[in-house]
Amino acid sequence: MSHRLDKFSAFRQGLVIFVYLAVLTALEYFVAVTFKAVSILVVVAVIKVALVMYYYMHIYKLNEESDAEPHSYSFKTGTNRLGLWLFLLSDSFVFAGLLTARVNLLGLTRPHLNQILGLAVTAVLLSSSFFMNRGETAMVHGDKKGFIRNTIITFVLGLGFLLGVVAVEWPLAAEEGLTAGSGAAGAVFYMMTGMHAFHVFTGLILLLVVLYKTRKDKYSAEKHWGVEAAAVYWHFVDLVWIIFYPALYLIGTAL
Amino acid sequence: MRHFIIVGILVIVMAILTYVGLDVAGIATQMHPIAASLQSVSIDWLWNREIIAISFLFALIIVPMTYSLIVFRRRKGETGDGEHFEGNTTLEITWTVLPLFAVLAFAYMGAYSLGEINRVDPDALVIKVKAQQFTWTFEYPEYEIVSKELHLPVDQQVVLKMESGDVIHSFWVPEFRVKQDVVPGRVTEYRITPTLVGDYKVRCAELCGASHYSMENLVIVNTQADYDAWIAEQRAIAAASQTPEGRGQLLTVKNGCIGCHSVDGSKLVGPSWQGIDGSTRDFADGTSAIADDAYIIESIRNPQAREVTGFSPSSMPPYTLTDEEIANIIAYIKTLK
Amino acid sequence: MKNVSPVVRGWLFFAIGFIVAYSIGIGLVFVASGSLVYSHLVTWILASFAGATAYSWGASGFSQLTKGLVWLGLGALAGFALGLVVELVVQGSLNWVAPIASLFALLFGFTGFFLGVAGNNAVSKGLISQISGTLIGAIFVTVIRVLMGLEWKGPFIFTEPAWVLGAFFGVLFFLAGNGSVSDWFKWARGIDTPEHHEEHYSGWEKYLNVSLDHKVIGVQYTITALLLISIGGLFALVFRTELAASQLQFLTTDMKLFGQNGPQLYNTFMSLHGMIMIVSILLGVAGIMNYVVPLLLGAQDMAFPRLNAFSFWLAVPAAVLLLMSLILGGFDTGWTGYPPLSAKAPLGIQMFFLGVFTAGWSSILGALNIIATVIRMRSKGMIAMRMPIFVWAAVATSIISLTATQLIGLSFQLVMFQRLFGMGFFDPAKGGNPVLFQHLFWFYSHPAVYVFVLPGLGVISELLPVFARKPLFGYRWVAMSSLGIALVGFVVWAHHMFTSGMNEYLRLPFMYSTLLVAIPTGVKFFSWVATLWKGKIVFPTPMLFVLGAIVVFLLGGLTGPPNATVSVDLHLHDTYFIVGHFHDTIFGGFVFPFFAALYYWFPKATGRRMNETLGKIHFWLMTPSFFILTFGMMRIGLLGMRRRIADYDPGLGFDATHLVLTIAGYLIGLSVLIFIYNFFNSIKNGDKAEGNVWNSRSPEWQVPSPMPMHNYDQPFEVVGEPYDYGLPGSQYVEFAAPAKSKHN
């Protein structure tokens, strides 16, 4: 596999993108608390999605020429990559369906939620994506220790996000009267966060698997499809949240 | 060229035959059954245009296909393949663009026809419709009449404001053509101008549960004079029913009770009310009880509490009525000996 | 006895078995109900089953099939008895018609059959695991409920949440238990698995086990589809019989089976007929695509062989769940499952939702595999415009299945959660919107129609040149029309909702987009006719079905536009006109081409061909009956016959028509029986056909039948157009010199 960037520039690129994403998130939050322009929120979310898809998920790799020999690792990786992206395309229809339900049922209102907590878990998940990118970059350059270190950080942050939503945000919301059975807002909130949390959960399991397999020395700088798959999936989970966060926390007026 | 001329003539013949055939079967110039509303005029008109197009297109495909199967079949002893030609771009573009014009034409006609049936008469008579498993109730707000039959004056637009208490139903009188779902949580409108005096039936067209098939009520289109007479008669009945029994009877109509419980002993979805007061009820779990007031109250408020042998209590939703309303209903039930 | 022919001996045994079981059945019914009933359903089922088993015994001795049937009977009886005991223990009274006993009988019977036929195999292991998983999940929830002090007993022993988790566990256990995911678990644990899986089983037993060979999986899909088509057809005959005359005859309000009275049972059968047929179509489509696409591309297998096996094995527990829904109280919502009705339906609806959800994933993953295979696994020289036309259809179909299917899964999942957790998505009392469900649902379920028909239309385009001995007219246009239909198909869904009370202004755009579908569909028809023009047409059985498909699909297509124009649809919506219309499209777009494909590729899979005479009887019996059926449906639909009703107003005067329709329905059933006999009989006894039986240019026919284990021994290169019939000296593919080794 050819490396476009040396290790250092790759790390630096990941950091720059992370800074962009962080600034855009802050901008989003600012727009939401001040002049509530839905169109700006949509544009910002689209930019964030594009940044993640290109720089973190490396969607351009779908176009990469692979070895013509069908039994080579590189050819199979190309096929696997296509399969994974097709899967993500399919999966995104679930989230699109949920988003449709949210727009249809709640329109320009949103459930009353803890804003600080929402921003906090969003920041945690975004940072986890950053570390995931560092981990994958490390693996590409054969730095297994760096990979393990960064992936463990990703895992911890991911777990933090999951607990933040399921173990903190849910009980808090329920205390304020927003329960699954309390009405359309509650139903939408728990379904969207729940479906996303389920994906985070599966992502965490994938991270554990690749960590375990790295310990067993199954990956190398040349052959690490499993690592790439787990990373792309993890970024996809982040990408979904990039859309769900404004949809649940920022757009419209709180009920 | 000879093939094309023969096929061309045959297509025209076949198209005419198809149309005539459908007309003989009675489904070309209008849809069935008989049209009894103003709205059906533009629907039947569009349908007729569609049948013409269908007849032509049917012939256009079937004739050359059948002709090929006969004329271009491989005969006994023949070997070898057909003529080698792979396509013809002009032809392809033709049969993409011409249908496009047909589509545009029908899109226009479809929009026109829809506009016709949506035409609003500001003086339309308003009737409230309540749909529930498995019956219809009609309320005439102007006259404070509630009825299980829908009576309509001929040649006057009515707008039905429809509500559902439980699941989705659909209001359909085949003779009126138009159909509209009744969705819980909202009011849907159904505009119709009956043009033909007669007895019809509204048939629920959206699957609404076990007895969906039986959700039919009478729709009677009257002359204005007969309609007025009916209204007067109903008002008199309503006025006479200001007793507890009378109010109870009205409540059983309004809430749709008599859709499932007969008052003449016949068996519907639920047990008949005739002679029910004071009788012994046998339950599926082997116990039994006397049907006193307390039992009836329980049966209304919590129908699933006990299962009468031979009936499924899950068909009945719990009703939240006031104590007074229930007392009226009980008073009415006591009259059904 | 030795001189008697096996068939005679079989029928003799049949008679004895039938009479004995019939007597026992009457006795059982007498014990249970205290009265002598001579024509009870149970008696008939018992007697027919015992008769069939005895026939098998008499005709072929104690063969594996006989063994399977005996085990089926024993399993069912054991399950029934166990169910009765459980019912007695939990509910405290003996209930002969307890659904739980029937459920155990069904599950144990199935398991017994597969155990009897081939001992320990992937199906029996899977079923045993599914049963255990269901019980474990249900008991788990029940224990938690007991600990929390909640009600733990439901009308079907367990409560609804317990059944849902149980059924979900059942699916997971099935997959874990039958070995279709074992390689993935090994990978996760860092254990490498061999690249090339050699078959562990020979002969027909490999079809009962997990195989990674796309040809085996294709056959597995196809057989499962045929099985489900038979079950779905049987259900249709049940309610078709009830409709033969007005008034309720045997599905009366007094009868009770599986916890449902007659009209409820009618609705369950009607709903399940719809969904089982849809699932069987998805499986049939997957079967043909799986078998054929890699062969047409010159690939050794699918892109993801393990995922392929997994997709198939998902469908088996899904089918079991659908059948469970019949017994666990059924559901009266139709296959569309609209809330609020589906939010109030009996427990069966949850099994139905889970079954559809699982089958949906099977379809999604299968589609993913097809797309990846087509993009990555084409042989040398096979540029897009030289792919066999069926591949284009497969891709168009897969694009829809891959994406839109998620939406039906989601919509059913939301109703499921509404029932379990009171989440008010579609409950107006909680601010929900019932119409939202319809949007989500039809976003899949309309394109789904194109999932059913596009492969069928692909089969027509693929086979027509072979039998017309001429190039496919306008290859590019036909290929693009498939994609066109698929893409336009994404934006027409709301034409199912013209009467639903959705926003008025949405009606016109959806009318326009729906009418647009006519254009690519028209291109296909014109191209087919032009392909036939000046050919040298031959008429073996597959060609008959292709031609039948064109005519039937034409009728389906022409009756479509009236439903697209809003005002006319307001009359036609939810009537038998629609029922007739879509049976035309599905038969023309799937059933006829499916049969054509089976007759056509059967020699490729088995090295024998199916009997031509029986094939022609099948065709000439099915086609006219089918025309009568759908014309009759459309006519009474126009006159006011509503969809999905157990009974109709005798005043409408439909009795005579319905009787004719019922007879036509039975004739179709008979013709399919003939097909099934022909199919299974020809595997063993058909005429040998190892060469290029149809004189086709397609690569798979250039090598001997049945297809070798790893497909083509030598890779081929595409050197010409696929359908250049009649062009002397032209060639589509050229095989590499045999000296070259298989994989470097």
Side-chain angles (χ1 to χ4, degrees):
Chain A
M1 198 182 283
S2 64
H3 311 136
R4 285 151 187 258
L5 300 169
D6 61 75
K7 194 176 165 188
F8 176 73
S9 346
F11 276 144
R12 199 180 52 193
Q13 189 190 57
L15 184 63
V16 169
I17 298 305
F18 176 66
V19 171
Y20 283 164
L21 290 171
V23 169
L24 284 170
T25 308
L27 174 71
E28 240 177 356
Y29 187 78
F30 173 73
V31 168
V33 293
T34 53
F35 49 97
K36 299 186 196 305
V38 175
S39 50
I40 295 183
L41 291 177
V42 172
V43 170
V44 170
V46 169
I47 295 173
K48 285 169 75 178
V49 165
L51 285 174
V52 169
M53 273 172 72
Y54 193 82
Y55 290 104
Y56 280 178
M57 296 169 81
H58 311 300
I59 190 171
Y60 53 82
K61 281 194 183 169
L62 279 175
N63 249 337
E64 238 167 44
E65 289 283 323
S66 54
D67 196 332
E69 163 52 38
H71 294 284
S72 68
Y73 191 87
S74 128
F75 184 85
K76 277 194 204 139
T77 301
T79 309
N80 287 341
R81 196 177 284 138
L82 174 67
L84 178 66
W85 276 96
L86 287 174
F87 177 81
L88 297 183
L89 173 70
S90 175
D91 214 15
S92 59
F93 273 72
V94 176
F95 295 110
L98 286 174
L99 201 64
T100 309
R102 182 250 176 267
V103 171
N104 179 288
L105 293 176
L106 304 183
L108 279 179
T109 61
R110 59 179 156 86
H112 181 72
L113 298 165
N114 187 330
Q115 285 293 338
I116 303 299
L117 191 58
L119 194 60
V121 294
T122 306
V124 166
L125 192 64
L126 208 58
S127 324
S128 81
S129 240
F130 167 66
F131 284 105
M132 188 74 250
N133 179 259
R134 279 179 79 85
E136 197 201 347
T137 312
M139 179 57 92
V140 169
H141 294 89
D143 174 6
K144 281 185 198 167
K145 282 218 175 99
F147 168 75
I148 290 179
R149 194 173 55 238
N150 282 300
T151 308
I152 287 176
I153 299 174
T154 309
F155 182 85
V156 170
L157 289 172
L159 195 65
F161 172 84
L162 188 63
L163 294 177
V165 171
V166 176
V168 182
E169 176 71 309
W170 282 11
L172 272 181
E175 241 171 62
E176 300 225 341
L178 187 75
T179 62
S182 68
V188 164
F189 170 71
Y190 285 98
M191 193 70 207
M192 284 173 79
T193 50
M195 183 64 89
H196 182 256
F198 173 71
H199 280 76
V200 174
F201 178 69
T202 51
L204 288 175
I205 291 175
L206 287 182
L207 290 183
L208 281 185
V209 170
V210 291
L211 276 173
Y212 175 74
K213 286 183 77 173
T214 315
R215 290 277 308 271
K216 286 191 85 177
D217 213 20
K218 290 283 170 190
Y219 298 121
S220 64
E222 291 75 35
K223 300 187 173 184
H224 58 264
W225 162 246
V227 171
E228 185 186 332
V232 170
Y233 185 78
W234 190 258
H235 295 308
F236 173 72
V237 169
D238 186 27
L239 184 145
V240 170
W241 191 251
I242 286 178
I243 297 168
F244 274 21
Y245 170 62
L248 282 172
Y249 286 85
L250 302 181
I251 285 181
T253 48
L255 283 173
Chain B
M1 207 57 214
R2 191 174 53 98
H3 292 307
F4 285 113
I5 295 169
I6 299 174
V7 166
I9 294 168
L10 285 176
V11 164
I12 294 166
V13 173
M14 184 68 189
I16 293 170
L17 280 179
T18 310
Y19 181 81
V20 171
L22 288 174
D23 202 21
V24 169
I27 51 174
T29 44
Q30 70 150 55
M31 297 171 114
H32 265 227
I34 193 159
S37 74
L38 192 61
Q39 284 71 12
S40 52
V41 174
S42 80
I43 293 179
D44 286 3
W45 168 82
L46 180 58
W47 169 258
N48 178 247
R49 296 298 178 279
E50 278 164 351
I51 288 294
I52 292 171
I54 286 173
S55 308
F56 175 69
L57 288 171
F58 179 70
L60 192 62
I61 300 292
I62 283 296
V63 168
M65 182 175 151
T66 318
Y67 186 85
S68 304
L69 296 184
I70 296 167
V71 176
F72 304 125
R73 70 184 189 278
R74 174 176 285 180
R75 291 175 175 77
K76 260 210 172 74
E78 259 185 331
T79 52
D81 296 338
E83 236 175 81
H84 181 267
F85 51 88
E86 290 186 324
N88 182 328
T89 311
T90 323
L91 212 51
E92 295 281 0
I93 291 175
T94 314
W95 64 46
T96 308
V97 172
L98 286 186
L100 186 64
F101 284 118
V103 162
L104 288 177
F106 275 100
Y108 174 74
M109 289 193 271
Y112 164 77
S113 172
L114 184 62
E116 282 295 298
I117 61 173
N118 278 346
R119 192 161 285 185
V120 174
D121 178 356
D123 302 327
L125 174 68
V126 177
I127 299 172
K128 280 190 185 167
V129 178
K130 197 174 169 207
Q132 66 188 111
Q133 291 171 329
F134 300 98
T135 186
W136 302 89
T137 311
F138 307 100
E139 206 180 320
Y140 292 71
E142 271 178 71
Y143 311 109
E144 291 179 359
I145 296 172
V146 175
S147 164
K148 301 305 291 180
E149 293 172 0
L150 178 63
H151 285 246
L152 300 173
V154 74
D155 290 331
Q156 190 195 339
Q157 191 177 80
V158 284
V159 51
L160 306 183
K161 306 251 183 202
M162 306 192 289
E163 276 180 86
S164 165
D166 38 41
V167 300
I168 303 175
H169 303 275
S170 190
F171 187 97
W172 185 43
V173 180
E175 289 80 359
F176 292 170
R177 300 288 186 269
V178 185
K179 187 180 285 130
Q180 176 62 55
D181 287 6
V182 190
V183 184
R186 59 174 77 181
V187 180
T188 49
E189 278 191 4
Y190 179 92
R191 255 172 219 286
I192 206 75
T193 316
T195 51
L196 198 63
V197 172
D199 292 2
Y200 312 103
K201 269 184 184 170
V202 47
R203 307 174 192 274
C204 175
E206 177 65 54
L207 180 58
C208 60
S211 300
H212 164 59
Y213 63 92
S214 65
M215 187 164 163
E216 299 176 326
N217 287 45
L218 267 182
V219 174
I220 296 166
V221 177
N222 284 333
T223 58
Q224 190 67 45
D226 286 352
Y227 173 76
D228 292 340
W230 180 77
I231 290 285
E233 184 193 333
Q234 293 297 311
R235 293 183 78 172
I237 292 172
S241 67
Q242 287 310 314
T243 57
E245 297 84 34
R247 280 199 295 272
Q249 184 177 11
L250 200 63
L251 281 166
T252 63
V253 176
K254 241 182 175 168
N255 287 296
C257 312
I258 56 172
C260 298
H261 301 277
S262 78
V263 293
D264 58 1
S266 59
K267 190 181 168 188
L268 300 176
V269 177
S272 174
W273 283 344
Q274 191 187 38
I276 200 169
D277 180 56
S279 68
T280 311
R281 314 300 296 163
D282 296 324
F283 302 113
D285 58 8
T287 59
S288 63
I290 301 290
D292 51 15
D293 288 7
Y295 170 76
I296 295 178
I297 292 171
E298 180 196 72
S299 301
I300 294 174
R301 291 217 162 119
N302 183 11
Q304 274 79 39
R306 283 185 271 195
E307 179 179 348
V308 178
T309 313
F311 296 95
S312 162
S314 63
S315 324
M316 180 168 161
Y319 283 85
T320 44
L321 299 167
T322 64
D323 289 344
E324 193 200 337
E325 284 173 327
I326 289 184
N328 287 337
I329 291 176
I330 292 175
Y332 169 59
I333 288 176
K334 283 185 199 292
T335 66
L336 300 168
K337 292 296 176 200
Chain C
M1 279 302 269
K2 271 187 185 153
N3 314 337
V4 191
S5 86
V7 177
V8 176
R9 203 167 54 217
W11 283 111
L12 198 71
F13 273 56
F14 178 89
I16 298 169
F18 191 89
I19 292 168
V20 170
Y22 184 76
S23 323
I24 294 175
I26 291 183
L28 274 178
V29 172
F30 181 73
V31 171
S33 66
S35 60
L36 267 173
V37 187
Y38 291 102
S39 63
H40 196 279
L41 195 65
V42 172
T43 320
W44 285 111
I45 293 175
L46 264 183
S48 324
F49 173 73
T53 313
Y55 177 93
S56 170
W57 187 14
S60 61
F62 209 67
S63 67
Q64 277 162 310
L65 180 66
T66 318
K67 223 167 107 186
L69 290 171
V70 170
W71 277 67
L72 194 161
L74 293 177
L77 284 179
F80 194 77
L82 181 66
L84 286 183
V85 171
V86 171
E87 182 80 17
L88 182 64
V89 170
V90 177
Q91 310 287 28
S93 63
L94 191 61
N95 182 0
W96 288 94
V97 291
I100 209 75
S102 315
L103 182 72
F104 279 170
L106 174 91
L107 293 174
F108 283 36
F110 271 168
T111 316
F113 178 77
F114 287 103
L115 276 176
V117 168
N120 218 1
N121 56 55
V123 189
S124 55
K125 275 192 286 192
L127 285 171
I128 291 171
S129 312
Q130 188 174 10
I131 297 171
S132 334
T134 309
L135 289 176
I136 289 171
I139 291 171
F140 176 69
V141 174
T142 306
V143 167
I144 289 180
R145 288 183 79 92
V146 170
L147 291 179
M148 289 172 68
L150 295 166
E151 174 66 50
W152 62 274
K153 222 160 72 171
F156 301 96
I157 308 288
F158 298 120
T159 51
E160 188 167 313
W163 273 112
V164 172
L165 190 80
F168 184 63
F169 272 30
V171 175
L172 298 183
F173 272 57
F174 183 102
L175 296 165
N178 89 337
S180 49
V181 291
S182 57
D183 275 6
W184 289 337
F185 278 129
K186 280 184 190 158
W187 292 358
R189 281 160 41 214
I191 303 167
D192 293 322
T193 55
E195 194 54 45
H196 274 288
H197 260 250
E198 299 305 324
E199 240 18 281
H200 299 295
Y201 303 91
S202 59
W204 55 271
E205 281 190 22
K206 69 177 174 230
Y207 297 108
L208 290 178
N209 285 289
V210 178
S211 169
L212 303 185
D213 181 358
H214 75 98
K215 297 188 293 299
V216 174
I217 296 172
V219 173
Q220 287 173 327
Y221 265 125
T222 307
I223 303 285
T224 318
L226 284 174
L227 198 73
L228 280 184
I229 285 179
S230 312
I231 295 173
L234 206 64
F235 288 176
L237 290 182
V238 170
F239 64 77
R240 203 55 256 175
T241 309
E242 176 56 63
L243 284 172
S246 55
Q247 308 299 344
L248 295 173
Q249 278 78 30
F250 67 98
L251 295 177
T252 53
T253 43
D254 294 328
M255 63 99 63
K256 200 141 197 181
L257 187 65
F258 308 137
Q260 301 156 68
N261 70 17
Q264 283 173 323
L265 204 56
Y266 176 97
N267 285 349
T268 306
F269 276 131
M270 175 271 296
S271 315
L272 271 180
H273 165 69
M275 192 43 92
I276 284 187
M277 282 307 192
I278 287 168
V279 171
S280 70
I281 290 171
L282 291 175
L283 296 183
V285 163
I288 301 292
M289 291 201 303
N290 247 296
Y291 194 89
V292 174
V293 167
L295 294 186
L296 293 179
L297 296 174
Q300 281 188 355
D301 208 317
M302 298 281 272
F304 308 110
R306 287 169 191 80
L307 187 68
N308 202 20
F310 180 73
S311 312
F312 166 71
W313 288 106
L314 264 176
V316 179
V320 173
L321 280 179
L322 286 180
L323 291 178
M324 277 169 71
S325 76
L326 165 67
I327 294 171
L328 287 178
F331 58 104
D332 49 10
T333 65
W335 76 276
T336 52
Y338 278 10
L341 186 58
S342 58
K344 300 177 181 190
L347 176 63
I349 192 101
Q350 295 280 33
M351 301 298 119
F352 167 79
F353 285 158
L354 272 170
V356 175
F357 192 80
T358 313
W361 269 107
S362 158
S363 178
I364 291 168
L365 298 174
L368 187 157
N369 223 332
I370 292 282
I371 297 179
T373 306
V374 174
I375 294 182
R376 302 286 296 177
M377 314 286 275
R378 297 194 306 277
S379 69
K380 209 174 158 196
M382 189 175 281
I383 53 170
M385 283 302 157
R386 279 184 174 175
M387 293 196 301
I389 199 77
F390 179 76
V391 174
W392 277 103
V395 169
T397 282
S398 301
I399 291 173
I400 303 173
S401 316
L402 175 72
T403 54
T405 311
Q406 296 285 8
L407 271 289
I408 191 176
L410 179 69
S411 61
F412 282 175
Q413 200 185 352
L414 294 184
V415 182
M416 188 191 278
F417 282 15
Q418 176 167 340
R419 289 176 65 109
L420 289 178
F421 309 118
M423 297 171 100
F425 299 105
F426 312 119
D427 181 357
K430 288 183 173 172
N433 178 6
V435 178
L436 169 66
F437 173 88
Q438 300 176 24
H439 281 295
L440 294 175
F441 175 83
W442 287 114
F443 185 81
Y444 166 72
S445 298
H446 186 78
V449 177
Y450 302 127
V451 173
F452 310 156
V453 305
L454 283 174
L457 306 186
V459 167
I460 297 176
S461 307
E462 182 74 35
L463 266 51
L464 211 51
V466 179
F467 297 114
R469 312 305 305 162
K470 256 196 68 209
L472 177 65
F473 193 89
Y475 170 94
R476 277 162 191 273
W477 293 79
V478 176
M480 287 306 127
S481 68
S482 288
L483 283 186
I485 293 175
L487 296 182
V488 178
F490 272 101
V491 292
V492 301
W493 77 88
H495 68 222
H496 293 268
M497 303 162 58
F498 285 153
T499 69
S500 72
M502 66 173 179
N503 288 330
E504 280 276 323
Y505 61 81
L506 284 178
R507 298 210 262 189
L508 282 182
F510 277 103
M511 169 171 89
Y512 300 150
S513 61
T514 306
L515 284 169
L516 271 184
V517 180
I519 293 170
T521 317
V523 168
K524 279 196 191 292
F525 277 112
F526 293 126
S527 300
W528 292 335
V529 170
T531 304
L532 288 170
W533 191 257
K534 298 213 170 166
K536 281 262 185 282
I537 304 164
V538 288
F539 299 96
T541 310
M543 180 60 166
L544 290 181
F545 277 94
V546 166
L547 295 172
I550 296 179
V551 177
V552 173
F553 192 68
L554 176 66
L555 292 172
L558 290 177
T559 48
N563 307 311
T565 45
V566 180
S567 60
V568 173
D569 183 61
L570 295 183
H571 183 59
L572 301 177
H573 181 75
D574 269 343
T575 65
Y576 261 58
F577 185 87
I578 301 285
V579 178
H581 157 71
F582 75 71
H583 276 90
D584 264 342
T585 55
I586 303 280
F587 263 70
F590 172 75
V591 177
F592 277 82
F594 182 58
F595 284 132
L598 291 182
Y599 282 106
Y600 180 79
W601 277 299
F602 187 85
K604 194 76 255 167
T606 61
R608 294 169 189 275
R609 60 190 290 175
M610 285 169 75
N611 185 305
E612 275 290 303
T613 317
L614 285 179
K616 284 183 171 148
I617 293 175
H618 172 204
F619 177 78
W620 289 111
L621 192 58
M622 185 165 103
T623 314
S625 313
F626 180 73
F627 282 138
I628 292 172
L629 184 74
T630 52
F631 278 136
M633 281 174 171
M634 286 194 249
R635 199 180 143 64
I636 54 173
L638 273 179
L639 286 165
M641 175 77 191
R642 298 168 284 153
R643 266 178 100 165
R644 296 170 174 154
I645 48 176
D647 188 19
Y648 45 93
D649 190 349
L652 289 166
F654 293 156
D655 282 55
T657 317
H658 268 300
L659 184 61
V660 173
L661 296 188
T662 303
I663 293 170
Y666 272 93
L667 288 179
I668 295 172
L670 179 64
S671 74
V672 174
L673 266 186
I674 293 173
F675 166 81
I676 288 178
Y677 168 77
N678 191 359
F679 186 89
F680 286 102
N681 188 44
S682 301
I683 294 175
K684 255 192 170 165
N685 306 325
D687 295 338
K688 287 246 178 209
E690 292 171 349
N692 189 351
V693 260
W694 314 113
N695 198 10
S696 162
R697 290 167 56 91
S698 207
E700 81 273 22
W701 292 105
Q702 312 309 320
V703 294
S705 309
M707 205 67 195
M709 170 82 191
H710 287 299
N711 297 351
Y712 303 99
D713 289 333
Q714 285 87 41
F716 62 74
E717 185 178 343
V718 173
V719 295
E721 299 296 327
Y723 302 109
D724 268 343
Y725 292 97
L727 185 67
S730 72
Q731 216 181 346
Y732 177 40
V733 294
E734 197 172 77
F735 284 87
K740 208 179 168 194
S741 72
K742 250 198 293 181
H743 353 275
N744 297 344

